[in-house]
Amino acid sequence: MGDQLPVDHTTVADIQAFLYREALALDERRFRDWLAMLTDDITYEVPVRVTREAQADWELAPTSRIFDDDRQTLEVRVRRLETDFSWAEQPPSRTRHYVTNVLVDATDLPDEYLVHSNCFIYRSRGDSPTPSFYSLSRKDTVRKEGDGWRLARRWAAFDQSLINAHNLSIFV
């Protein structure tokens, strides 16, 4: 596995609880609360997965992104969801984020940790009988700031290369 520095059990439990609370805020559509869980220098990146032949050098596009956001663009996305002009979310999506396999590694910076996790998202819309399912691998940087934990970086990759949705207006 490499030379990861040990992380105490209390810190691991605190970070896991933070990720679960973050998921709950998204599922309950408390997007302002979710924004408060982000650092001012947040980066939020989801590369495009491509299907390539065996032994290809990459399967995540090196430059194409589904999301490539910072604090400002995330705030714009939330503001839009709060208006009547968020047509992609009329009616609003109902989501359930399942965060699993959380591994916490120390970094060279005090109070900053690299967190690997898996995320499974269930999404339903209106009265459609067909929900969408998304499976992702996530690599987050979580930082202790003042009164609690904050998400400083989210890098996530969908397991599927074809997203089965008319839009992707949710947060991962």
CSV table of all heavy atoms in Angstrom, one decimal, residues 50-111:
chain,number,residue,atom,x,y,z
A,50,VAL,N,-13.7,7.2,-20.4
A,50,VAL,CA,-13.9,6.7,-21.8
A,50,VAL,C,-13.6,5.2,-21.8
A,50,VAL,O,-12.8,4.7,-21.0
A,50,VAL,CB,-12.9,7.5,-22.8
A,50,VAL,CG1,-13.3,8.9,-22.9
A,50,VAL,CG2,-11.5,7.4,-22.3
A,51,THR,N,-14.2,4.6,-22.8
A,51,THR,CA,-13.9,3.2,-23.0
A,51,THR,C,-12.9,3.0,-24.1
A,51,THR,O,-13.1,3.5,-25.2
A,51,THR,CB,-15.2,2.4,-23.4
A,51,THR,OG1,-16.2,2.6,-22.4
A,51,THR,CG2,-15.0,0.9,-23.6
A,52,ARG,N,-11.8,2.4,-23.7
A,52,ARG,CA,-10.7,2.2,-24.6
A,52,ARG,C,-10.2,0.8,-24.7
A,52,ARG,O,-10.6,0.0,-23.9
A,52,ARG,CB,-9.5,3.1,-24.2
A,52,ARG,CG,-9.9,4.6,-24.2
A,52,ARG,CD,-8.8,5.5,-23.8
A,52,ARG,NE,-7.5,5.1,-24.3
A,52,ARG,CZ,-6.7,5.9,-25.0
A,52,ARG,NH1,-7.1,7.1,-25.3
A,52,ARG,NH2,-5.5,5.4,-25.5
A,53,GLU,N,-9.4,0.5,-25.7
A,53,GLU,CA,-8.9,-0.9,-25.8
A,53,GLU,C,-8.0,-1.3,-24.6
A,53,GLU,O,-7.6,-0.4,-23.9
A,53,GLU,CB,-8.1,-1.0,-27.1
A,53,GLU,CG,-6.9,-0.2,-27.2
A,53,GLU,CD,-7.1,1.3,-27.6
A,53,GLU,OE1,-8.2,1.7,-27.9
A,53,GLU,OE2,-6.1,2.0,-27.5
A,54,ALA,N,-7.9,-2.5,-24.5
A,54,ALA,CA,-7.0,-3.0,-23.4
A,54,ALA,C,-5.6,-2.4,-23.5
A,54,ALA,O,-5.1,-2.2,-24.6
A,54,ALA,CB,-7.0,-4.6,-23.4
A,55,GLN,N,-5.0,-2.3,-22.3
A,55,GLN,CA,-3.6,-1.7,-22.2
A,55,GLN,C,-3.5,-0.3,-22.7
A,55,GLN,O,-2.4,0.2,-22.9
A,55,GLN,CB,-2.6,-2.6,-23.1
A,55,GLN,CG,-2.7,-4.1,-22.7
A,55,GLN,CD,-2.4,-4.4,-21.3
A,55,GLN,OE1,-1.6,-3.8,-20.7
A,55,GLN,NE2,-3.2,-5.3,-20.7
A,56,ALA,N,-4.6,0.4,-22.7
A,56,ALA,CA,-4.6,1.9,-23.1
A,56,ALA,C,-3.9,2.6,-21.9
A,56,ALA,O,-3.9,2.2,-20.8
A,56,ALA,CB,-6.0,2.4,-23.3
A,57,ASP,N,-3.2,3.7,-22.3
A,57,ASP,CA,-2.5,4.5,-21.3
A,57,ASP,C,-3.4,5.1,-20.2
A,57,ASP,O,-3.0,5.4,-19.1
A,57,ASP,CB,-1.7,5.6,-21.9
A,57,ASP,CG,-0.5,5.0,-22.6
A,57,ASP,OD1,-0.1,3.9,-22.3
A,57,ASP,OD2,0.1,5.7,-23.5
A,58,TRP,N,-4.7,5.4,-20.6
A,58,TRP,CA,-5.6,6.1,-19.7
A,58,TRP,C,-7.0,5.7,-20.0
A,58,TRP,O,-7.3,5.3,-21.2
A,58,TRP,CB,-5.4,7.6,-19.7
A,58,TRP,CG,-5.4,8.2,-21.1
A,58,TRP,CD1,-4.4,8.4,-21.9
A,58,TRP,CD2,-6.6,8.6,-21.9
A,58,TRP,NE1,-4.8,9.0,-23.1
A,58,TRP,CE2,-6.1,9.1,-23.1
A,58,TRP,CE3,-7.9,8.6,-21.6
A,58,TRP,CZ2,-7.0,9.6,-24.1
A,58,TRP,CZ3,-8.8,9.1,-22.6
A,58,TRP,CH2,-8.3,9.6,-23.8
A,59,GLU,N,-7.9,5.7,-19.1
A,59,GLU,CA,-9.3,5.5,-19.3
A,59,GLU,C,-10.1,6.7,-18.8
A,59,GLU,O,-11.3,6.7,-18.9
A,59,GLU,CB,-9.8,4.2,-18.7
A,59,GLU,CG,-9.7,4.1,-17.2
A,59,GLU,CD,-10.2,2.8,-16.6
A,59,GLU,OE1,-9.4,1.8,-16.7
A,59,GLU,OE2,-11.3,2.8,-16.2
A,60,LEU,N,-9.5,7.7,-18.1
A,60,LEU,CA,-10.1,8.9,-17.8
A,60,LEU,C,-9.5,10.0,-18.6
A,60,LEU,O,-8.2,10.1,-18.7
A,60,LEU,CB,-9.8,9.2,-16.3
A,60,LEU,CG,-10.5,8.3,-15.3
A,60,LEU,CD1,-10.0,8.6,-13.9
A,60,LEU,CD2,-12.0,8.3,-15.4
A,61,ALA,N,-10.3,10.8,-19.3
A,61,ALA,CA,-9.8,11.8,-20.2
A,61,ALA,C,-8.9,12.7,-19.5
A,61,ALA,O,-9.2,13.2,-18.5
A,61,ALA,CB,-11.0,12.5,-20.9
A,62,PRO,N,-7.7,13.0,-20.1
A,62,PRO,CA,-6.7,13.8,-19.4
A,62,PRO,C,-7.2,15.3,-19.3
A,62,PRO,O,-6.7,16.0,-18.4
A,62,PRO,CB,-5.5,13.7,-20.2
A,62,PRO,CG,-5.8,13.0,-21.5
A,62,PRO,CD,-7.2,12.3,-21.3
A,63,THR,N,-8.0,15.7,-20.3
A,63,THR,CA,-8.4,17.1,-20.2
A,63,THR,C,-9.9,17.4,-20.2
A,63,THR,O,-10.4,18.5,-19.8
A,63,THR,CB,-7.9,17.9,-21.5
A,63,THR,OG1,-8.3,17.2,-22.7
A,63,THR,CG2,-6.3,17.9,-21.5
A,64,SER,N,-10.8,16.4,-20.5
A,64,SER,CA,-12.2,16.6,-20.6
A,64,SER,C,-12.8,16.4,-19.2
A,64,SER,O,-12.4,15.4,-18.5
A,64,SER,CB,-12.9,15.7,-21.6
A,64,SER,OG,-12.4,15.9,-22.9
A,65,ARG,N,-13.7,17.2,-18.8
A,65,ARG,CA,-14.3,17.1,-17.4
A,65,ARG,C,-15.8,17.2,-17.5
A,65,ARG,O,-16.4,18.0,-18.3
A,65,ARG,CB,-13.8,18.3,-16.5
A,65,ARG,CG,-12.3,18.3,-16.3
A,65,ARG,CD,-11.9,17.1,-15.5
A,65,ARG,NE,-10.5,17.0,-15.2
A,65,ARG,CZ,-9.6,16.2,-15.9
A,65,ARG,NH1,-10.1,15.4,-16.8
A,65,ARG,NH2,-8.4,16.2,-15.6
A,66,ILE,N,-16.5,16.4,-16.7
A,66,ILE,CA,-17.9,16.6,-16.5
A,66,ILE,C,-18.2,17.8,-15.6
A,66,ILE,O,-19.0,18.6,-15.8
A,66,ILE,CB,-18.5,15.3,-15.8
A,66,ILE,CG1,-18.4,14.1,-16.8
A,66,ILE,CG2,-20.0,15.6,-15.5
A,66,ILE,CD1,-18.7,12.8,-16.2
A,67,PHE,N,-17.4,17.9,-14.5
A,67,PHE,CA,-17.4,19.1,-13.6
A,67,PHE,C,-15.9,19.5,-13.4
A,67,PHE,O,-15.1,18.7,-13.2
A,67,PHE,CB,-18.0,18.7,-12.2
A,67,PHE,CG,-19.4,18.3,-12.3
A,67,PHE,CD1,-19.8,17.1,-11.8
A,67,PHE,CD2,-20.4,19.2,-12.7
A,67,PHE,CE1,-21.1,16.6,-11.9
A,67,PHE,CE2,-21.8,18.8,-12.7
A,67,PHE,CZ,-22.1,17.5,-12.3
A,68,ASP,N,-15.7,20.8,-13.4
A,68,ASP,CA,-14.4,21.4,-13.1
A,68,ASP,C,-14.7,22.7,-12.4
A,68,ASP,O,-14.7,23.7,-13.1
A,68,ASP,CB,-13.6,21.5,-14.4
A,68,ASP,CG,-12.1,21.8,-14.1
A,68,ASP,OD1,-11.8,21.9,-12.9
A,68,ASP,OD2,-11.4,22.1,-15.1
A,69,ASP,N,-15.0,22.6,-11.2
A,69,ASP,CA,-15.6,23.8,-10.4
A,69,ASP,C,-14.6,24.3,-9.3
A,69,ASP,O,-13.8,23.5,-8.8
A,69,ASP,CB,-16.9,23.4,-9.8
A,69,ASP,CG,-18.0,23.1,-10.8
A,69,ASP,OD1,-18.0,23.8,-11.8
A,69,ASP,OD2,-18.8,22.3,-10.5
A,70,ASP,N,-14.8,25.5,-9.0
A,70,ASP,CA,-14.2,26.1,-7.8
A,70,ASP,C,-15.3,26.6,-6.9
A,70,ASP,O,-16.5,26.4,-7.2
A,70,ASP,CB,-13.2,27.2,-8.2
A,70,ASP,CG,-13.8,28.3,-9.0
A,70,ASP,OD1,-15.0,28.5,-9.1
A,70,ASP,OD2,-13.0,29.1,-9.6
A,71,ARG,N,-14.9,27.4,-5.9
A,71,ARG,CA,-15.9,27.9,-4.9
A,71,ARG,C,-17.0,28.7,-5.7
A,71,ARG,O,-18.2,28.6,-5.4
A,71,ARG,CB,-15.2,28.6,-3.8
A,71,ARG,CG,-16.1,29.3,-2.8
A,71,ARG,CD,-16.7,28.2,-2.0
A,71,ARG,NE,-17.7,28.8,-1.1
A,71,ARG,CZ,-17.9,28.3,0.1
A,71,ARG,NH1,-17.2,27.3,0.6
A,71,ARG,NH2,-18.9,28.8,0.9
A,72,GLN,N,-16.5,29.6,-6.5
A,72,GLN,CA,-17.4,30.5,-7.2
A,72,GLN,C,-18.4,29.8,-8.1
A,72,GLN,O,-19.6,30.1,-8.0
A,72,GLN,CB,-16.6,31.5,-8.0
A,72,GLN,CG,-17.4,32.6,-8.7
A,72,GLN,CD,-16.6,33.6,-9.5
A,72,GLN,OE1,-15.4,33.5,-9.5
A,72,GLN,NE2,-17.3,34.5,-10.2
A,73,THR,N,-18.0,28.8,-8.9
A,73,THR,CA,-18.9,28.1,-9.8
A,73,THR,C,-19.8,27.2,-9.0
A,73,THR,O,-21.0,27.1,-9.4
A,73,THR,CB,-18.1,27.3,-10.8
A,73,THR,OG1,-17.2,26.4,-10.2
A,73,THR,CG2,-17.4,28.3,-11.8
A,74,LEU,N,-19.4,26.7,-7.9
A,74,LEU,CA,-20.3,25.9,-7.0
A,74,LEU,C,-21.4,26.8,-6.4
A,74,LEU,O,-22.5,26.4,-6.3
A,74,LEU,CB,-19.5,25.1,-5.9
A,74,LEU,CG,-18.6,24.0,-6.4
A,74,LEU,CD1,-17.7,23.5,-5.3
A,74,LEU,CD2,-19.4,22.9,-7.0
A,75,GLU,N,-21.0,28.0,-6.0
A,75,GLU,CA,-22.0,28.9,-5.5
A,75,GLU,C,-23.0,29.3,-6.5
A,75,GLU,O,-24.2,29.4,-6.3
A,75,GLU,CB,-21.3,30.1,-4.9
A,75,GLU,CG,-20.6,29.8,-3.6
A,75,GLU,CD,-19.9,31.0,-3.0
A,75,GLU,OE1,-19.9,32.1,-3.5
A,75,GLU,OE2,-19.3,30.8,-1.9
A,76,VAL,N,-22.5,29.5,-7.8
A,76,VAL,CA,-23.4,29.8,-8.9
A,76,VAL,C,-24.4,28.6,-9.1
A,76,VAL,O,-25.6,28.9,-9.3
A,76,VAL,CB,-22.7,30.1,-10.2
A,76,VAL,CG1,-23.6,30.1,-11.4
A,76,VAL,CG2,-21.9,31.5,-10.0
A,77,ARG,N,-23.9,27.4,-9.1
A,77,ARG,CA,-24.8,26.2,-9.3
A,77,ARG,C,-25.8,26.2,-8.2
A,77,ARG,O,-27.0,25.9,-8.5
A,77,ARG,CB,-23.9,25.0,-9.3
A,77,ARG,CG,-23.1,24.8,-10.6
A,77,ARG,CD,-22.3,23.6,-10.6
A,77,ARG,NE,-23.1,22.4,-10.5
A,77,ARG,CZ,-22.6,21.2,-10.2
A,77,ARG,NH1,-21.3,21.0,-10.0
A,77,ARG,NH2,-23.4,20.1,-10.1
A,78,VAL,N,-25.4,26.4,-6.9
A,78,VAL,CA,-26.4,26.4,-5.8
A,78,VAL,C,-27.4,27.5,-6.0
A,78,VAL,O,-28.6,27.3,-5.8
A,78,VAL,CB,-25.7,26.5,-4.5
A,78,VAL,CG1,-26.7,26.8,-3.3
A,78,VAL,CG2,-25.0,25.2,-4.2
A,79,ARG,N,-27.0,28.7,-6.3
A,79,ARG,CA,-27.9,29.9,-6.5
A,79,ARG,C,-28.9,29.5,-7.6
A,79,ARG,O,-30.1,29.8,-7.5
A,79,ARG,CB,-27.2,31.2,-6.9
A,79,ARG,CG,-26.7,31.9,-5.7
A,79,ARG,CD,-26.3,33.3,-6.0
A,79,ARG,NE,-25.4,33.5,-7.1
A,79,ARG,CZ,-24.1,33.5,-7.0
A,79,ARG,NH1,-23.5,33.3,-5.9
A,79,ARG,NH2,-23.4,33.7,-8.1
A,80,ARG,N,-28.5,28.9,-8.7
A,80,ARG,CA,-29.4,28.5,-9.8
A,80,ARG,C,-30.4,27.5,-9.3
A,80,ARG,O,-31.6,27.6,-9.6
A,80,ARG,CB,-28.6,28.0,-10.9
A,80,ARG,CG,-29.5,27.6,-12.1
A,80,ARG,CD,-28.6,27.3,-13.3
A,80,ARG,NE,-29.5,26.8,-14.4
A,80,ARG,CZ,-30.0,27.6,-15.3
A,80,ARG,NH1,-29.8,28.9,-15.3
A,80,ARG,NH2,-30.8,27.0,-16.3
A,81,LEU,N,-30.0,26.6,-8.4
A,81,LEU,CA,-31.0,25.6,-7.9
A,81,LEU,C,-32.0,26.2,-7.0
A,81,LEU,O,-33.1,25.7,-6.8
A,81,LEU,CB,-30.2,24.5,-7.1
A,81,LEU,CG,-29.4,23.5,-8.0
A,81,LEU,CD1,-28.5,22.7,-7.0
A,81,LEU,CD2,-30.3,22.7,-8.8
A,82,GLU,N,-31.7,27.4,-6.5
A,82,GLU,CA,-32.7,28.1,-5.6
A,82,GLU,C,-33.7,29.0,-6.4
A,82,GLU,O,-34.5,29.6,-5.8
A,82,GLU,CB,-31.9,29.0,-4.6
A,82,GLU,CG,-31.0,28.2,-3.7
A,82,GLU,CD,-30.1,29.0,-2.8
A,82,GLU,OE1,-29.8,30.2,-3.2
A,82,GLU,OE2,-29.7,28.6,-1.7
A,83,THR,N,-33.6,29.0,-7.7
A,83,THR,CA,-34.4,29.8,-8.5
A,83,THR,C,-35.4,28.9,-9.3
A,83,THR,O,-35.3,27.7,-9.3
A,83,THR,CB,-33.6,30.6,-9.6
A,83,THR,OG1,-33.1,29.7,-10.6
A,83,THR,CG2,-32.5,31.4,-8.9
A,84,ASP,N,-36.4,29.6,-10.0
A,84,ASP,CA,-37.3,28.9,-10.9
A,84,ASP,C,-36.7,28.6,-12.2
A,84,ASP,O,-37.4,28.0,-13.1
A,84,ASP,CB,-38.6,29.8,-11.1
A,84,ASP,CG,-39.4,29.9,-9.8
A,84,ASP,OD1,-39.3,29.0,-8.9
A,84,ASP,OD2,-40.1,30.9,-9.6
A,85,PHE,N,-35.4,29.0,-12.4
A,85,PHE,CA,-34.8,28.8,-13.7
A,85,PHE,C,-33.9,27.5,-13.8
A,85,PHE,O,-33.2,27.3,-14.7
A,85,PHE,CB,-34.0,30.0,-14.1
A,85,PHE,CG,-34.8,31.3,-14.2
A,85,PHE,CD1,-34.8,32.2,-13.2
A,85,PHE,CD2,-35.6,31.4,-15.3
A,85,PHE,CE1,-35.6,33.3,-13.3
A,85,PHE,CE2,-36.4,32.6,-15.4
A,85,PHE,CZ,-36.4,33.5,-14.4
A,86,SER,N,-34.0,26.7,-12.8
A,86,SER,CA,-33.3,25.5,-12.8
A,86,SER,C,-34.1,24.4,-13.4
A,86,SER,O,-34.6,23.5,-12.7
A,86,SER,CB,-32.9,25.1,-11.3
A,86,SER,OG,-32.2,23.9,-11.3
A,87,TRP,N,-34.4,24.5,-14.7
A,87,TRP,CA,-35.3,23.6,-15.4
A,87,TRP,C,-34.8,22.1,-15.3
A,87,TRP,O,-35.7,21.2,-15.3
A,87,TRP,CB,-35.5,24.0,-16.8
A,87,TRP,CG,-36.1,25.4,-16.9
A,87,TRP,CD1,-37.3,25.8,-16.5
A,87,TRP,CD2,-35.5,26.5,-17.5
A,87,TRP,NE1,-37.5,27.1,-16.7
A,87,TRP,CE2,-36.4,27.6,-17.4
A,87,TRP,CE3,-34.3,26.8,-18.1
A,87,TRP,CZ2,-36.1,28.9,-17.8
A,87,TRP,CZ3,-34.0,28.0,-18.6
A,87,TRP,CH2,-34.9,29.1,-18.5
A,88,ALA,N,-33.6,21.9,-15.2
A,88,ALA,CA,-33.1,20.5,-15.2
A,88,ALA,C,-33.5,19.9,-13.8
A,88,ALA,O,-33.5,18.6,-13.7
A,88,ALA,CB,-31.6,20.5,-15.3
A,89,GLU,N,-33.8,20.7,-12.9
A,89,GLU,CA,-34.2,20.1,-11.6
A,89,GLU,C,-35.7,20.4,-11.2
A,89,GLU,O,-36.1,20.7,-10.1
A,89,GLU,CB,-33.3,20.7,-10.5
A,89,GLU,CG,-32.0,20.0,-10.4
A,89,GLU,CD,-32.1,18.5,-10.1
A,89,GLU,OE1,-32.7,18.2,-9.0
A,89,GLU,OE2,-31.7,17.7,-10.9
A,90,GLN,N,-36.5,20.5,-12.3
A,90,GLN,CA,-38.0,20.6,-12.1
A,90,GLN,C,-38.7,19.4,-12.7
A,90,GLN,O,-38.7,19.2,-13.9
A,90,GLN,CB,-38.5,21.9,-12.8
A,90,GLN,CG,-37.9,23.2,-12.2
A,90,GLN,CD,-38.3,23.4,-10.8
A,90,GLN,OE1,-39.4,23.0,-10.3
A,90,GLN,NE2,-37.4,24.0,-10.1
A,91,PRO,N,-39.2,18.5,-11.9
A,91,PRO,CA,-39.2,18.5,-10.4
A,91,PRO,C,-37.8,18.2,-9.9
A,91,PRO,O,-37.0,17.6,-10.6
A,91,PRO,CB,-40.2,17.5,-10.0
A,91,PRO,CG,-40.1,16.5,-11.2
A,91,PRO,CD,-39.8,17.3,-12.4
A,92,PRO,N,-37.5,18.5,-8.6
A,92,PRO,CA,-36.2,18.3,-8.0
A,92,PRO,C,-35.8,16.8,-8.0
A,92,PRO,O,-36.7,16.0,-7.8
A,92,PRO,CB,-36.2,18.9,-6.6
A,92,PRO,CG,-37.4,19.8,-6.7
A,92,PRO,CD,-38.4,19.3,-7.7
A,93,SER,N,-34.6,16.5,-8.1
A,93,SER,CA,-34.1,15.1,-8.0
A,93,SER,C,-34.2,14.7,-6.5
A,93,SER,O,-34.0,15.6,-5.6
A,93,SER,CB,-32.7,15.0,-8.4
A,93,SER,OG,-32.5,15.2,-9.8
A,94,ARG,N,-34.5,13.5,-6.3
A,94,ARG,CA,-34.4,12.9,-4.9
A,94,ARG,C,-33.1,12.0,-5.0
A,94,ARG,O,-33.0,11.1,-5.8
A,94,ARG,CB,-35.6,12.1,-4.5
A,94,ARG,CG,-36.8,13.0,-4.3
A,94,ARG,CD,-38.1,12.2,-4.0
A,94,ARG,NE,-38.5,11.3,-5.1
A,94,ARG,CZ,-39.3,11.7,-6.1
A,94,ARG,NH1,-39.7,12.9,-6.2
A,94,ARG,NH2,-39.6,10.9,-7.0
A,95,THR,N,-32.2,12.3,-4.1
A,95,THR,CA,-30.9,11.5,-4.1
A,95,THR,C,-30.7,10.9,-2.8
A,95,THR,O,-31.2,11.3,-1.7
A,95,THR,CB,-29.7,12.4,-4.5
A,95,THR,OG1,-29.5,13.4,-3.4
A,95,THR,CG2,-29.8,13.0,-5.8
A,96,ARG,N,-29.9,9.8,-2.8
A,96,ARG,CA,-29.4,9.2,-1.6
A,96,ARG,C,-28.0,8.8,-1.9
A,96,ARG,O,-27.7,8.0,-2.8
A,96,ARG,CB,-30.2,7.9,-1.3
A,96,ARG,CG,-29.9,7.3,0.0
A,96,ARG,CD,-30.5,8.1,1.2
A,96,ARG,NE,-31.9,8.2,1.0
A,96,ARG,CZ,-32.6,9.4,1.3
A,96,ARG,NH1,-31.9,10.4,1.8
A,96,ARG,NH2,-33.9,9.5,1.2
A,97,HIS,N,-27.0,9.4,-1.2
A,97,HIS,CA,-25.6,9.1,-1.3
A,97,HIS,C,-25.2,8.1,-0.3
A,97,HIS,O,-25.4,8.3,0.9
A,97,HIS,CB,-24.8,10.4,-1.1
A,97,HIS,CG,-24.9,11.5,-2.1
A,97,HIS,ND1,-26.1,12.2,-2.3
A,97,HIS,CD2,-24.0,11.9,-3.0
A,97,HIS,CE1,-25.9,13.0,-3.3
A,97,HIS,NE2,-24.6,12.9,-3.7
A,98,TYR,N,-24.6,7.0,-0.8
A,98,TYR,CA,-24.0,6.0,0.1
A,98,TYR,C,-22.5,6.1,0.0
A,98,TYR,O,-21.9,5.8,-1.0
A,98,TYR,CB,-24.5,4.6,-0.3
A,98,TYR,CG,-26.0,4.4,-0.3
A,98,TYR,CD1,-26.8,4.8,-1.4
A,98,TYR,CD2,-26.6,4.0,0.9
A,98,TYR,CE1,-28.2,4.6,-1.3
A,98,TYR,CE2,-28.0,3.9,1.0
A,98,TYR,CZ,-28.8,4.2,-0.1
A,98,TYR,OH,-30.1,4.1,0.0
A,99,VAL,N,-21.9,6.5,1.1
A,99,VAL,CA,-20.4,6.6,1.1
A,99,VAL,C,-19.8,5.4,1.9
A,99,VAL,O,-20.2,5.2,3.0
A,99,VAL,CB,-20.0,8.0,1.8
A,99,VAL,CG1,-18.5,8.1,1.9
A,99,VAL,CG2,-20.7,9.1,1.1
A,100,THR,N,-18.9,4.7,1.2
A,100,THR,CA,-18.4,3.5,1.8
A,100,THR,C,-16.9,3.4,1.6
A,100,THR,O,-16.3,4.3,0.9
A,100,THR,CB,-19.0,2.2,1.2
A,100,THR,OG1,-18.6,2.2,-0.2
A,100,THR,CG2,-20.5,2.3,1.2
A,101,ASN,N,-16.3,2.4,2.2
A,101,ASN,CA,-14.9,2.1,2.1
A,101,ASN,C,-14.0,3.3,2.3
A,101,ASN,O,-13.1,3.6,1.5
A,101,ASN,CB,-14.6,1.5,0.7
A,101,ASN,CG,-15.4,0.2,0.5
A,101,ASN,OD1,-16.6,0.3,0.4
A,101,ASN,ND2,-14.7,-0.9,0.3
A,102,VAL,N,-14.2,4.1,3.4
A,102,VAL,CA,-13.5,5.3,3.7
A,102,VAL,C,-12.1,4.9,4.2
A,102,VAL,O,-12.0,4.3,5.3
A,102,VAL,CB,-14.3,6.2,4.6
A,102,VAL,CG1,-13.5,7.4,5.0
A,102,VAL,CG2,-15.7,6.5,4.1
A,103,LEU,N,-11.1,5.4,3.5
A,103,LEU,CA,-9.7,5.3,4.0
A,103,LEU,C,-9.1,6.6,4.2
A,103,LEU,O,-9.2,7.5,3.2
A,103,LEU,CB,-8.9,4.4,3.0
A,103,LEU,CG,-9.3,3.0,2.8
A,103,LEU,CD1,-8.5,2.4,1.7
A,103,LEU,CD2,-9.1,2.2,4.1
A,104,VAL,N,-8.5,6.9,5.3
A,104,VAL,CA,-7.9,8.2,5.6
A,104,VAL,C,-6.4,8.1,5.7
A,104,VAL,O,-5.9,7.3,6.5
A,104,VAL,CB,-8.5,8.8,6.9
A,104,VAL,CG1,-8.0,10.1,7.2
A,104,VAL,CG2,-10.1,8.9,6.8
A,105,ASP,N,-5.7,9.0,4.9
A,105,ASP,CA,-4.3,9.0,5.0
A,105,ASP,C,-3.8,10.4,5.4
A,105,ASP,O,-4.4,11.4,4.9
A,105,ASP,CB,-3.7,8.6,3.6
A,105,ASP,CG,-3.9,7.2,3.3
A,105,ASP,OD1,-3.8,6.3,4.1
A,105,ASP,OD2,-4.3,6.9,2.1
A,106,ALA,N,-2.8,10.5,6.2
A,106,ALA,CA,-2.2,11.8,6.5
A,106,ALA,C,-1.5,12.4,5.3
A,106,ALA,O,-1.1,11.6,4.4
A,106,ALA,CB,-1.2,11.6,7.7
A,107,THR,N,-1.3,13.7,5.3
A,107,THR,CA,-0.5,14.4,4.2
A,107,THR,C,0.6,15.1,4.9
A,107,THR,O,0.8,15.0,6.1
A,107,THR,CB,-1.4,15.4,3.5
A,107,THR,OG1,-1.7,16.5,4.4
A,107,THR,CG2,-2.7,14.8,2.9
A,108,ASP,N,1.4,15.8,4.1
A,108,ASP,CA,2.5,16.5,4.7
A,108,ASP,C,2.1,17.8,5.5
A,108,ASP,O,2.8,18.4,6.2
A,108,ASP,CB,3.5,17.0,3.6
A,108,ASP,CG,4.2,15.8,2.9
A,108,ASP,OD1,4.3,14.7,3.6
A,108,ASP,OD2,4.6,15.9,1.7
A,109,LEU,N,0.8,18.1,5.3
A,109,LEU,CA,0.3,19.3,6.0
A,109,LEU,C,-0.5,18.9,7.2
A,109,LEU,O,-1.3,18.0,7.2
A,109,LEU,CB,-0.7,20.1,5.1
A,109,LEU,CG,0.0,20.6,3.8
A,109,LEU,CD1,-1.1,21.2,2.9
A,109,LEU,CD2,1.0,21.7,4.1
A,110,PRO,N,-0.3,19.6,8.3
A,110,PRO,CA,-1.0,19.3,9.5
A,110,PRO,C,-2.5,19.6,9.3
A,110,PRO,O,-2.8,20.6,8.7
A,110,PRO,CB,-0.4,20.1,10.6
A,110,PRO,CG,0.3,21.3,9.9
A,110,PRO,CD,0.7,20.7,8.5
A,111,ASP,N,-3.4,18.8,9.9
A,111,ASP,CA,-4.8,19.0,9.8
A,111,ASP,C,-5.4,18.9,8.4
A,111,ASP,O,-6.4,19.4,8.1
A,111,ASP,CB,-5.2,20.3,10.5
A,111,ASP,CG,-5.0,20.3,12.0
A,111,ASP,OD1,-5.1,19.3,12.6
A,111,ASP,OD2,-4.7,21.4,12.5
